[in-house]
Amino acid sequence: QVQLVESGGGLVQAGGSLRLSCAASGTIFSIYAMGWYRQAPGKQRELVAVITSGGSTNYADSVKGRFTISRDNAKNTVYLQMSSLKPEDTAVYYCNAEGSIYGSHFEVWGQGTLVTVSS
């Protein structure tokens, strides 16, 4: 099993920066991708950024050039550096991990961390 613990959300003014962290524990070796998703009030959850075990990254068009996903393998932690934040980035951000263990696919979610960007 994999467990995810997020941290780093908060209130920031438009144009500011925040860094989210997601620490993974458990069967880390079974993870092949980790990502960040967000859900704004009244909207569906959407992909923000993802990083694979091979280091490949992918971003939503709305955050390209402003957000950077990275990982620290020694700490089993994935980060989301968010810059030039906009009010429309306000959402609950969820960490996600996908993997396979004993031939079975799994997907795990963190508890979510609220990011509020004021105008």
Side-chain angles (χ1 to χ4, degrees):
Q1 294 291 338
V2 173
Q3 297 80 41
L4 304 174
V5 178
E6 303 140 337
S7 60
L11 174 64
V12 64
Q13 289 189 330
S17 299
L18 275 177
R19 189 178 79 160
L20 305 182
S21 300
C22 175
S25 61
T27 54
I28 309 292
F29 63 87
S30 61
I31 297 174
Y32 53 70
M34 291 186 69
W36 289 94
Y37 289 71
R38 66 186 181 187
Q39 187 166 18
K43 295 188 177 181
Q44 290 188 332
R45 191 173 297 189
E46 63 177 0
L47 174 68
V48 176
V50 63
I51 185 166
T52 69
S53 57
S56 298
T57 58
N58 193 32
Y59 297 90
D61 288 342
S62 59
V63 306
K64 282 181 181 177
R66 300 188 299 122
F67 291 11
T68 302
I69 189 169
S70 63
R71 65 183 190 186
D72 183 334
N73 291 333
K75 296 182 179 180
N76 297 322
T77 299
V78 171
Y79 303 98
L80 184 69
Q81 178 67 47
M82 306 184 292
S83 303
S84 302
L85 283 161
K86 305 175 181 180
E88 50 263 44
D89 294 317
T90 295
V92 177
Y93 284 70
Y94 297 91
C95 182
N96 170 275
E98 285 193 70
S100 178
I101 187 166
Y102 306 122
S104 296
H105 172 265
F106 68 84
E107 187 172 30
V108 178
W109 294 90
Q111 79 281 4
T113 185
L114 177 63
V115 172
T116 303
V117 184
S118 63
S119 57

